[in-house]
């Protein structure tokens, strides 16, 4: 995923091919379907991206918490973009069920909150997930969640909150040299009428959804 985010597509394809060749038959496919989907999306084929994720879920639905669950937020995001609310809802249900298999672990719950928040337009759920990733120092997960939160806020008319979220996501993407993720976030929010804005000199990036100051 990092190679795709850094727009190193040839290296990402080579790594994906090598990983598929090395994976024993019948084992947990791990991140491979997500990497395949992101490559398809980067190549301008969102339908192919969604097909990769859908096929993986149909062939081997995740029945317990594992890193396979990390497909689910992107499944929700791409499905919603293509108008497939049924698949988005299926991914939300799976994320919740997987979180229930690990009730004492905060990570699965955060992932389920991210899926639900995006699918159902719940900023609070996305903020809760972002708080977890912030505490854990999980920069890529935090950036992607902030991007999702920015999109939800923009759809709800909170342009200022969406702009703060976009700024925060892009700051993190740039720290990771994730050039394509930056471009994707910009394009996604631009379609919702939001562009990155300037900050006051020396100002730290504010998390998405930070309440605006009350009017004087």
């Amino acid at each position: 995923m990092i190679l795709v985010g850094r727009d190193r597509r040839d290296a990402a394809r080579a790594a994906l091919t090598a990983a598929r060749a090395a994976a024993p038959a019948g084992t947990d496919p791990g991140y491979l379907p997500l990497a395949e989907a992101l490559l398809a999306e980067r190549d301008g084929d969102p339908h192919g991206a969604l097909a990769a994720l859908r096929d993986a879920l149909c062939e081997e639905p995740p029945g317990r918490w594992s890193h396979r669950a990390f497909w689910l937020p992107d499944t929700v995001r791409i499905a919603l973009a293509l108008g497939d609310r049924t698949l988005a809802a299926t991914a939300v249900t799976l994320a919740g069920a997987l979180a229930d298999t690990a009730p004492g672990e905060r990570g699965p719950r955060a992932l389920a909150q991210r899926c639900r928040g995006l699918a159902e337009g719940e900023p609070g759920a996305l903020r809760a997930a972002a708080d977890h990733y912030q505490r854990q120092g999980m920069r890529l997960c935090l950036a992607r969640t902030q991007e999702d939160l920015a999109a939800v806020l923009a759809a709800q008319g909170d342009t200022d909150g969406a702009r703060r979220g976009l700024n925060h996501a892009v700051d993190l993407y740039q720290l990771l040299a994730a050039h394509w993720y930056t471009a994707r976030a910009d394009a996604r929010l631009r379609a919702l009428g939001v562009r990155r804005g300037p900050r006051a000199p020396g100002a730290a990036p504010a998390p998405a959804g930070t309440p605006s100051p009350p009017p004087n």
Side-chain angles (χ1 to χ4, degrees):
M1 294 192 300
I2 291 293
L3 288 172
V4 180
R6 290 177 175 170
D7 214 12
R8 297 178 57 193
R9 282 182 278 178
D10 290 343
R13 288 191 187 91
L16 178 60
T17 299
R20 286 202 178 280
T27 60
D28 184 334
Y31 292 104
L32 299 183
L34 178 54
E36 183 178 336
L38 292 175
L39 272 170
E41 187 182 18
R42 176 62 187 91
D43 288 339
D45 182 12
H47 292 278
L50 191 59
L53 295 169
R54 182 191 292 111
D55 290 349
L57 290 176
C58 290
E59 288 170 6
E60 192 175 2
R64 60 179 178 79
W65 173 253
S66 76
H67 53 270
R68 287 187 297 161
F70 287 98
W71 310 340
L72 297 174
D74 283 282
T75 303
V76 174
R77 176 180 61 81
I78 299 170
L80 290 175
L82 295 178
D84 191 341
R85 299 198 68 86
T86 299
L87 184 59
T90 297
V92 171
T93 299
L94 282 171
L98 288 167
D100 289 343
T101 70
E105 297 182 30
R106 188 66 188 87
R109 183 61 54 193
L111 188 140
Q113 288 170 324
R114 181 180 165 198
C115 289
R116 187 180 78 252
L118 180 56
E120 300 177 8
E122 293 185 13
L126 288 161
R127 291 187 188 108
D131 286 345
H132 168 74
Y133 298 135
Q134 178 79 54
R135 288 192 300 271
Q136 297 299 313
M138 300 171 68
R139 287 178 173 177
L140 182 56
C141 289
L142 175 58
R144 290 159 69 84
T145 305
Q146 289 285 358
E147 179 190 335
D148 290 340
L149 178 50
V152 166
L153 291 171
Q156 295 177 357
D158 184 356
T159 301
D160 290 340
R163 182 173 294 111
R164 285 193 295 272
L166 176 59
N167 283 341
H168 193 187
V170 168
D171 285 343
L172 291 166
Y173 287 146
Q174 290 179 342
L175 283 173
L176 297 168
H179 311 299
W180 176 60
Y181 290 155
T182 296
R184 186 189 69 188
D186 279 335
R188 183 180 180 189
L189 271 294
R190 190 182 307 119
L192 294 168
V194 175
R195 296 174 184 269
R196 278 185 271 162
R199 300 191 186 91
T210 301
S212 300
N216 293 328

